[in-house]
Amino acid sequence: MNTNPNTPPPYGVYTPLVTFFNNDESLDLTSTTRHALRMASGGVSGLVLQGSNGEAPHLLHDERQILVRTIKETLVKNGHEELKLIVGCGAASVKETLLYLEEAKEAGADYGLVLPPAYWTAAMSAPVIEKFFSEIATSTPLPFLIYNFPGVTGGIDISSDSIIRLAKENPAIVGVKLTCGNVGKLQRVASTLPKTSFAAMAGKSDFCLPAIVAGSNGVIAALANVVPKLHSELLRLYETGDLKAAIELQSKLSHADWALQKLGVAGVKKSVADHFGYGQGKSRRPLGSGPDVIAAEIAAPIAVVVALEKSL
């Protein structure tokens, strides 16, 4: 067991790192590690590996360990050992979730990230979900965050009541990623639980600033794959009291985030490849590849934030 399981991830920007693939769908470790280093130089506090943007359901057990170990070694070698690694470990059963957590720890992860089980969606009542997380917390080798993302769990949306109960009863549960976009839920959780032991985190760029105002511990944002510095700048503007500039920047991020969502995971990688010159817009099937050319109305708001990113 972790000797200090109630220490949450530090405040800041976390990139849910995309996983690049070669044409034959094998791991493109060269592009993925280059991407991780660009994130590190962009001022992020950590990386989330094998989340939704990392295509966790498409990765084999050994590939997950290779990714974590390779990225960890790359960060340490290049002087970024302080960056935290949060690793997706969600599975349909308690048994396999614990196996993923053990494998993630062995590969160098600092935290796990666990989705509710979604195969038997109709059976996933609040008591069942709470028991699932509690049983994992009792045996986990890593502290972990709950991952609330109804879009990938058949609509399962964990309530603030459940999150608060789980956190109070299980010290190994040290945070939650709220991709649901519910700022009210985030504020209820953040204002109830001590920041010293629990991190409530926004899960999208498009509500980053409102979430920070509501008590978010930073943001885990897909758009940070494209513009990590800009997310760090948003946090800085708010922290220094320049609310007008923060609101203006948040507006640009919101438009870019909405455009990026229309492209899907492969499109995130396509945007990175187009603007930063590495990787390609390819996912494992059935997701397939992103568009050869991104439509102008989608590309335009992304280009706006990329220009700002490159000016920082």
Side-chain angles (χ1 to χ4, degrees), residues 29-77:
L29 292 175
T30 300
S31 295
T32 304
T33 52
R34 181 175 174 182
H35 188 51
L37 287 175
R38 185 170 73 84
M39 297 301 105
S41 65
V44 302
S45 296
L47 304 175
V48 178
L49 310 180
Q50 294 147 205
S52 304
N53 281 278
E55 297 182 52
H58 298 164
L59 299 174
L60 305 177
H61 279 262
D62 63 327
E63 290 176 326
R64 291 180 180 223
Q65 290 180 291
I66 289 167
L67 272 170
V68 177
R69 188 174 294 111
T70 302
I71 290 171
K72 181 77 169 183
E73 290 172 353
T74 299
L75 291 173
V76 171
K77 181 180 177 181

Coordinates of all heavy atoms in Angstrom, one line a residue, residues 29-77:
L29 N 6.2 5.5 -30.1 CA 6.8 6.0 -28.9 C 7.7 7.3 -29.1 O 7.8 8.2 -28.2 CB 7.7 4.9 -28.2 CG 6.9 3.7 -27.7 CD1 7.9 2.7 -27.2 CD2 6.0 4.2 -26.5
T30 N 8.2 7.4 -30.3 CA 9.1 8.6 -30.6 C 8.2 9.9 -30.5 O 8.6 10.9 -29.9 CB 9.7 8.5 -32.0 OG1 10.6 7.3 -32.0 CG2 10.5 9.7 -32.3
S31 N 7.1 9.8 -31.2 CA 6.2 11.0 -31.2 C 5.5 11.2 -29.8 O 5.4 12.4 -29.4 CB 5.1 10.8 -32.3 OG 5.6 10.8 -33.6
T32 N 5.2 10.1 -29.2 CA 4.5 10.3 -27.9 C 5.4 10.9 -26.8 O 5.0 11.7 -26.0 CB 3.9 8.9 -27.4 OG1 3.1 8.4 -28.4 CG2 3.1 9.1 -26.1
T33 N 6.7 10.4 -26.8 CA 7.6 11.0 -25.8 C 8.0 12.4 -26.2 O 8.2 13.3 -25.3 CB 8.9 10.1 -25.7 OG1 9.5 9.9 -27.0 CG2 8.6 8.8 -25.1
R34 N 8.1 12.7 -27.5 CA 8.3 14.1 -27.9 C 7.2 15.0 -27.4 O 7.4 16.1 -27.0 CB 8.5 14.2 -29.4 CG 8.8 15.6 -29.9 CD 9.0 15.6 -31.4 NE 9.1 16.9 -31.9 CZ 9.3 17.2 -33.2 NH1 9.4 16.3 -34.1 NH2 9.4 18.5 -33.6
H35 N 6.0 14.5 -27.5 CA 4.8 15.2 -27.1 C 4.8 15.4 -25.6 O 4.5 16.5 -25.1 CB 3.5 14.4 -27.5 CG 2.3 15.1 -27.3 ND1 2.0 16.4 -27.7 CD2 1.1 14.7 -26.6 CE1 0.8 16.7 -27.4 NE2 0.2 15.7 -26.7
A36 N 5.2 14.4 -24.8 CA 5.3 14.5 -23.4 C 6.3 15.6 -23.0 O 6.0 16.4 -22.1 CB 5.7 13.2 -22.8
L37 N 7.4 15.7 -23.7 CA 8.4 16.7 -23.4 C 7.9 18.1 -23.7 O 8.2 19.1 -23.0 CB 9.7 16.4 -24.1 CG 10.5 15.2 -23.6 CD1 11.7 14.9 -24.4 CD2 10.9 15.4 -22.1
R38 N 7.1 18.2 -24.8 CA 6.6 19.6 -25.1 C 5.6 20.0 -24.0 O 5.5 21.2 -23.6 CB 5.9 19.6 -26.5 CG 5.4 21.0 -26.9 CD 5.0 21.0 -28.3 NE 3.7 20.4 -28.6 CZ 2.5 21.0 -28.4 NH1 2.4 22.2 -27.9 NH2 1.4 20.3 -28.6
M39 N 4.8 19.0 -23.5 CA 3.9 19.4 -22.4 C 4.7 19.8 -21.2 O 4.4 20.8 -20.5 CB 3.1 18.1 -22.0 CG 2.1 17.6 -23.1 SD 0.9 18.9 -23.7 CE 1.7 19.3 -25.3
A40 N 5.8 19.1 -20.9 CA 6.6 19.5 -19.7 C 7.2 20.9 -19.8 O 7.2 21.6 -18.9 CB 7.7 18.4 -19.5
S41 N 7.7 21.2 -21.0 CA 8.2 22.5 -21.3 C 7.1 23.6 -21.3 O 7.4 24.8 -21.2 CB 9.0 22.6 -22.5 OG 8.2 22.3 -23.7
G42 N 5.9 23.2 -21.4 CA 4.7 24.1 -21.5 C 4.2 24.4 -20.1 O 3.2 25.2 -20.0
G43 N 4.9 23.9 -19.0 CA 4.5 24.3 -17.7 C 3.4 23.5 -17.0 O 2.8 24.0 -16.0
V44 N 3.1 22.3 -17.5 CA 2.0 21.5 -16.9 C 2.6 20.9 -15.6 O 3.8 20.8 -15.4 CB 1.5 20.4 -17.8 CG1 1.0 21.0 -19.1 CG2 2.6 19.4 -18.1
S45 N 1.7 20.6 -14.7 CA 2.0 20.0 -13.4 C 2.1 18.4 -13.5 O 2.7 17.8 -12.7 CB 1.0 20.3 -12.3 OG 1.0 21.7 -12.1
G46 N 1.5 17.9 -14.6 CA 1.5 16.5 -14.7 C 0.8 16.0 -16.0 O 0.3 16.8 -16.8
L47 N 0.9 14.7 -16.3 CA 0.3 14.1 -17.4 C -0.7 13.0 -17.0 O -0.4 12.3 -16.0 CB 1.4 13.5 -18.3 CG 2.5 14.4 -18.8 CD1 3.5 13.6 -19.5 CD2 2.0 15.5 -19.6
V48 N -1.8 13.0 -17.7 CA -2.7 11.9 -17.5 C -2.6 10.9 -18.7 O -2.8 11.3 -19.8 CB -4.2 12.4 -17.4 CG1 -5.2 11.2 -17.3 CG2 -4.4 13.3 -16.3
L49 N -2.1 9.7 -18.4 CA -1.9 8.7 -19.4 C -3.0 7.7 -19.5 O -3.6 7.4 -18.4 CB -0.5 8.0 -19.2 CG 0.7 8.9 -18.9 CD1 1.9 8.0 -18.7 CD2 0.9 9.8 -20.1
Q50 N -3.3 7.2 -20.7 CA -4.3 6.2 -20.8 C -5.7 6.6 -20.3 O -6.4 5.8 -19.6 CB -3.8 4.9 -20.2 CG -2.6 4.3 -20.9 CD -1.6 3.6 -20.0 OE1 -0.4 3.6 -20.4 NE2 -2.0 3.1 -18.9
G51 N -6.1 7.8 -20.5 CA -7.4 8.3 -20.3 C -8.2 8.1 -21.6 O -7.8 7.4 -22.5
S52 N -9.3 8.9 -21.8 CA -10.1 8.8 -23.0 C -9.2 9.3 -24.2 O -9.2 8.6 -25.3 CB -11.3 9.7 -22.9 OG -12.1 9.3 -21.7
N53 N -8.5 10.4 -24.1 CA -7.7 10.9 -25.2 C -6.5 10.0 -25.4 O -6.0 10.0 -26.5 CB -7.2 12.3 -24.9 CG -8.3 13.3 -25.2 OD1 -8.5 13.7 -26.3 ND2 -9.0 13.7 -24.1
G54 N -6.1 9.2 -24.4 CA -5.0 8.3 -24.6 C -5.4 6.9 -25.2 O -4.6 6.0 -25.3
E55 N -6.7 6.8 -25.5 CA -7.3 5.6 -26.0 C -7.1 4.4 -25.2 O -6.7 3.3 -25.7 CB -6.8 5.4 -27.5 CG -7.2 6.5 -28.4 CD -6.7 6.3 -29.8 OE1 -7.0 5.2 -30.4 OE2 -6.1 7.2 -30.4
A56 N -7.3 4.5 -23.9 CA -7.1 3.4 -23.0 C -7.8 2.1 -23.4 O -7.2 1.0 -23.3 CB -7.5 3.8 -21.6
P57 N -9.0 2.1 -23.9 CA -9.7 0.8 -24.2 C -9.0 0.1 -25.4 O -9.2 -1.1 -25.6 CB -11.1 1.3 -24.6 CG -11.3 2.6 -24.0 CD -10.0 3.2 -24.0
H58 N -8.1 0.8 -26.1 CA -7.5 0.2 -27.3 C -6.1 -0.3 -27.0 O -5.4 -0.8 -27.9 CB -7.4 1.3 -28.4 CG -8.7 1.8 -28.9 ND1 -8.8 2.9 -29.7 CD2 -9.9 1.3 -28.7 CE1 -10.1 3.1 -30.0 NE2 -10.8 2.1 -29.4
L59 N -5.6 -0.1 -25.7 CA -4.3 -0.5 -25.4 C -4.3 -1.8 -24.6 O -5.1 -2.1 -23.7 CB -3.6 0.6 -24.5 CG -3.5 2.0 -25.2 CD1 -3.0 3.0 -24.2 CD2 -2.6 1.9 -26.4
L60 N -3.3 -2.7 -24.9 CA -3.1 -3.9 -24.2 C -2.4 -3.7 -22.9 O -1.8 -2.6 -22.7 CB -2.3 -4.9 -25.1 CG -2.8 -5.2 -26.5 CD1 -1.9 -6.1 -27.3 CD2 -4.2 -5.8 -26.4
H61 N -2.4 -4.6 -22.0 CA -1.8 -4.5 -20.7 C -0.3 -4.1 -20.8 O 0.2 -3.2 -20.1 CB -2.0 -5.8 -19.8 CG -3.3 -5.9 -19.2 ND1 -3.5 -5.5 -17.8 CD2 -4.5 -6.3 -19.6 CE1 -4.8 -5.7 -17.5 NE2 -5.4 -6.2 -18.6
D62 N 0.4 -4.9 -21.6 CA 1.8 -4.6 -21.7 C 2.1 -3.3 -22.4 O 3.1 -2.6 -22.0 CB 2.5 -5.8 -22.5 CG 2.1 -5.9 -23.9 OD1 0.9 -5.6 -24.2 OD2 2.9 -6.3 -24.8
E63 N 1.3 -2.9 -23.3 CA 1.5 -1.6 -24.0 C 1.3 -0.4 -23.0 O 2.0 0.6 -23.0 CB 0.5 -1.4 -25.1 CG 0.8 -2.3 -26.3 CD -0.2 -2.2 -27.4 OE1 -1.4 -2.0 -27.1 OE2 0.1 -2.3 -28.6
R64 N 0.3 -0.6 -22.1 CA 0.1 0.4 -21.1 C 1.4 0.6 -20.2 O 1.8 1.7 -19.9 CB -1.1 0.1 -20.2 CG -2.4 0.1 -20.9 CD -3.5 -0.3 -20.0 NE -4.8 -0.2 -20.6 CZ -5.9 0.3 -20.0 NH1 -5.9 0.8 -18.8 NH2 -7.1 0.3 -20.6
Q65 N 2.0 -0.5 -19.8 CA 3.2 -0.4 -19.0 C 4.3 0.1 -19.7 O 5.1 0.9 -19.2 CB 3.5 -1.8 -18.5 CG 2.5 -2.4 -17.4 CD 2.9 -3.7 -16.9 OE1 2.8 -4.7 -17.7 NE2 3.3 -3.8 -15.7
I66 N 4.5 -0.2 -21.0 CA 5.5 0.3 -21.8 C 5.4 1.8 -21.9 O 6.4 2.6 -21.8 CB 5.5 -0.3 -23.2 CG1 6.0 -1.8 -23.2 CG2 6.4 0.5 -24.2 CD1 5.7 -2.6 -24.4
L67 N 4.2 2.3 -22.2 CA 4.0 3.8 -22.3 C 4.3 4.5 -21.0 O 5.1 5.5 -21.0 CB 2.5 4.0 -22.6 CG 2.1 4.0 -24.1 CD1 0.6 4.1 -24.3 CD2 2.7 5.2 -24.8
V68 N 3.8 4.0 -19.9 CA 4.1 4.7 -18.6 C 5.6 4.7 -18.3 O 6.2 5.7 -18.0 CB 3.3 4.0 -17.4 CG1 3.7 4.7 -16.1 CG2 1.8 4.1 -17.7
R69 N 6.2 3.5 -18.5 CA 7.6 3.4 -18.1 C 8.5 4.3 -19.1 O 9.4 5.0 -18.6 CB 8.1 1.9 -18.3 CG 9.5 1.7 -17.7 CD 9.8 0.2 -17.8 NE 9.0 -0.5 -16.8 CZ 8.0 -1.4 -17.1 NH1 7.8 -1.7 -18.4 NH2 7.3 -2.0 -16.2
T70 N 8.2 4.3 -20.3 CA 8.9 5.1 -21.3 C 8.8 6.6 -21.1 O 9.8 7.3 -21.1 CB 8.5 4.7 -22.7 OG1 8.7 3.3 -23.0 CG2 9.3 5.5 -23.8
I71 N 7.6 7.0 -20.8 CA 7.4 8.4 -20.5 C 8.0 8.9 -19.2 O 8.6 9.9 -19.1 CB 5.8 8.8 -20.6 CG1 5.3 8.6 -22.0 CG2 5.6 10.2 -20.0 CD1 3.8 8.7 -22.2
K72 N 7.9 8.0 -18.2 CA 8.5 8.3 -16.9 C 10.0 8.5 -17.1 O 10.6 9.4 -16.6 CB 8.2 7.2 -15.9 CG 8.8 7.4 -14.5 CD 8.0 8.4 -13.7 CE 8.4 8.4 -12.3 NZ 7.5 9.4 -11.5
E73 N 10.6 7.5 -17.8 CA 12.1 7.6 -18.0 C 12.5 8.8 -18.8 O 13.5 9.4 -18.5 CB 12.5 6.3 -18.7 CG 12.4 5.0 -17.8 CD 12.7 3.7 -18.5 OE1 12.9 3.8 -19.7 OE2 12.8 2.7 -17.8
T74 N 11.7 9.1 -19.8 CA 12.0 10.3 -20.6 C 11.9 11.6 -19.8 O 12.8 12.4 -20.0 CB 11.0 10.4 -21.8 OG1 11.1 9.2 -22.6 CG2 11.3 11.6 -22.7
L75 N 10.9 11.7 -19.0 CA 10.8 12.9 -18.2 C 11.9 13.0 -17.2 O 12.5 14.1 -17.0 CB 9.5 12.9 -17.4 CG 8.2 13.0 -18.2 CD1 6.9 12.8 -17.4 CD2 8.1 14.4 -18.9
V76 N 12.3 12.0 -16.5 CA 13.4 12.0 -15.5 C 14.7 12.3 -16.2 O 15.5 13.2 -15.8 CB 13.5 10.6 -14.8 CG1 14.7 10.6 -14.0 CG2 12.3 10.4 -13.9
K77 N 14.9 11.7 -17.4 CA 16.2 11.9 -18.1 C 16.3 13.4 -18.5 O 17.5 13.9 -18.6 CB 16.2 11.0 -19.3 CG 17.5 11.1 -20.2 CD 17.4 10.2 -21.4 CE 18.6 10.3 -22.3 NZ 18.6 9.4 -23.5

